[in-house]
C-alpha cells in the first residue's frame, strides 16, 4: 500500500516534469496510463478478494483502449465531444473541477481506502463516521468514473457498429446494381 501511495505521488510529478521540460510523447502518455492502471489493479487485488476484483480493472482497460484507439494524446478533449452533461462536468478542464476531483479521488483512492478500513482500528464513533463519509465520497467518485467509462466504451462500440452498418449497406447497394 505504501508503494501505491508513492507511485501515485510520482505519477503526478512525472507529468509535470515532462511538461516543464517539454518532453511529452504519445508513448509516454500511453505508458503513464498503463502504469496507473497496473498500480490500481494491484491495489484492487490487495483490497478486494474474489472474481469481481477484475471489474474496475477491466473497465479501465476497455476505456483506455477506446479513448486511445482514435484519440491518441487528445483523449481528454476529443473523445468527449457531444457527451452527456455529467460526462462534460467530470471532464471539464481535464478533471480540474469539483466533480472531476471527486471522480479522480474515487478512481485512485477507493481501493486504498478499502484496504485501509480493514486494517485501521475504528473504535470511536467519530472515527467510524469520518471513515464512512470519506468512503461514501470515494464510492461516489468511482461510480462517476465508471459511468464515464461505460459511456466512452458504449460510444466507441456504437461508432464501430455504425461504420460496419454503413459499409454493409454500401456493399448491399453495390451488389444490387
Amino acid at each position: 500500500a505504501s508503494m501505491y501511495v508513492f507511485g501515485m505521488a510520482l505519477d503526478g510529478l512525472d507529468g509535470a516534469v515532462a511538461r516543464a521540460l517539454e518532453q511529452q510523447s504519445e508513448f509516454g502518455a500511453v505508458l503513464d496510463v498503463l502504469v496507473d492502471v497496473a498500480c490500481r489493479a494491484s491495489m484492487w487485488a490487495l483490497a478486494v478478494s474474489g472474481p469481481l476484483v477484475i471489474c474496475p480493472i477491466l473497465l479501465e482497460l476497455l476505456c483506455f483502449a477506446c479513448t486511445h484507439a482514435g484519440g491518441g494524446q487528445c483523449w481528454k478533449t476529443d473523445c468527449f465531444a457531444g457527451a452527456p452533461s455529467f460526462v462534460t462536468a467530470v471532464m471539464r478542464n481535464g478533471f480540474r473541477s469539483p466533480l472531476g476531483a471527486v471522480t479522480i479521488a474515487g478512481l485512485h483512492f477507493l481501493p486504498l481506502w478499502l484496504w485501509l478500513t480493514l486494517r485501521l482500528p475504528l473504535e470511536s464513533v467519530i472515527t467510524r463516521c469520518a471513515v464512512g463519509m470519506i468512503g461514501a465520497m470515494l464510492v461516489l467518485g468511482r461510480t462517476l468514473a465508471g459511468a464515464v467509462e461505460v459511456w466512452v466504451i458504449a460510444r466507441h462500440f456504437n461508432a464501430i457498429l455504425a461504420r460496419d452498418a454503413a459499409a454493409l449497406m454500401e456493399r448491399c447497394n453495390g451488389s444490387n446494381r
Side-chain angles (χ1 to χ4, degrees):
S2 59
M3 291 299 291
Y4 179 71
V5 173
F6 180 70
M8 286 188 332
L10 283 180
D11 180 47
L13 184 64
D14 71 344
V17 169
R19 284 185 292 280
L21 298 175
E22 297 180 6
Q23 296 294 314
Q24 303 125 293
S25 69
E26 186 173 352
F27 177 76
V30 167
L31 187 61
D32 182 59
V33 174
L34 287 175
V35 169
D36 290 350
V37 172
C39 287
R40 280 192 296 276
S42 65
M43 197 66 237
W44 276 108
L46 286 173
V48 180
S49 60
L52 292 179
V53 72
I54 195 73
C55 292
I57 300 159
L58 186 59
L59 197 58
E60 283 191 52
L61 287 173
L62 280 170
C63 185
F64 169 75
C66 292
T67 56
H68 284 74
Q73 288 183 328
C74 302
W75 72 267
K76 285 185 182 178
T77 55
D78 295 352
C79 292
F80 300 97
S85 59
F86 81 92
V87 173
T88 304
V90 167
M91 296 305 299
R92 186 166 291 122
N93 297 324
F95 300 106
R96 290 179 185 90
S97 66
L99 207 53
V102 169
T103 302
I104 292 300
L107 184 69
H108 286 281
F109 293 111
L110 181 60
L112 181 62
W113 177 86
L114 289 168
W115 184 82
L116 284 171
T117 56
L118 298 174
R119 286 155 182 79
L120 292 176
L122 302 174
E123 296 163 1
S124 76
V125 172
I126 294 173
T127 304
R128 284 194 298 269
C129 287
V131 168
M133 289 188 321
I134 291 168
M137 190 233 7
L138 295 175
V139 167
L140 171 65
R142 187 62 189 96
T143 302
L144 284 168
V148 171
E149 289 163 340
V150 167
W151 179 83
V152 166
I153 294 164
R155 191 192 71 153
H156 184 74
F157 282 106
N158 284 336
I160 290 170
L161 291 172
R163 287 192 302 269
D164 284 351
L168 181 61
M169 291 297 289
E170 191 175 301
R171 281 194 301 258
C172 289
N173 289 338
S175 67
N176 289 336
R177 292 180 188 164

